[in-house]
Amino acid sequence: MRALLQRVAWAKVEVEGEVIGKIDKGIAILLGVHEEDSEAEANFLAQKIAKLRIFQDSEGKMNLSIADTGGAFLVVSQFTLYADARKGNRPSYVHAARPDKGTALYEYFQAALVKLGFKVASGRFGADMKVSLLNDGPVTIFLDTKELKS
């Protein structure tokens, strides 16, 4: 799994002009599911993100996790995180999970965050979504479970 995290002051996702997910302070996550991913990767990634210390303490240092701040997550499916643009000019997405598996693991990942005690808002898998956010910092971090487990 791949996740692009952005620490945000607020974030929202719209589908066909309707806001379907919205958070205040927290982390917006663009989540890509690989064809070989399983629930193990989803659990690992959820736990890693929950413990990341990317929020500022009273001295301005990034020492606090989202649990320390009471923040929330906005999770948006993003198969294009598995784009392969090594050949030609049109990226290939052959390593992104097919929609049935991608949907299941996207939903499982969100449930894993909820199980850890967090508020989670989300987009809609496969929909044409409009994502708006106010990046706080900015702080943007890319995580890949294959690299994290190596």
Side-chain angles (χ1 to χ4, degrees), residues 42-92:
N43 284 321
F44 176 84
L45 189 59
Q47 291 174 14
K48 180 70 172 179
I49 293 170
K51 294 176 185 174
L52 277 180
R53 298 184 324 175
I54 62 171
F55 291 90
Q56 294 179 340
D57 64 16
S58 60
E59 296 177 11
K61 294 184 180 182
M62 286 197 278
N63 279 327
L64 303 177
S65 71
I66 193 164
D68 299 322
T69 65
F73 292 103
L74 175 67
V75 183
V76 177
S77 62
Q78 189 76 38
F79 77 93
T80 60
L81 286 174
Y82 279 101
D84 182 351
R86 290 178 290 179
K87 296 180 182 178
N89 295 319
R90 183 171 185 230
S92 168

Side-chain angles (χ1 to χ4, degrees), residues 98-115:
R98 297 286 172 241
D100 56 340
K101 181 175 186 174
T103 302
L105 286 175
Y106 168 69
E107 292 173 357
Y108 184 90
F109 173 77
Q110 291 176 75
L113 291 172
V114 170
K115 196 174 192 178

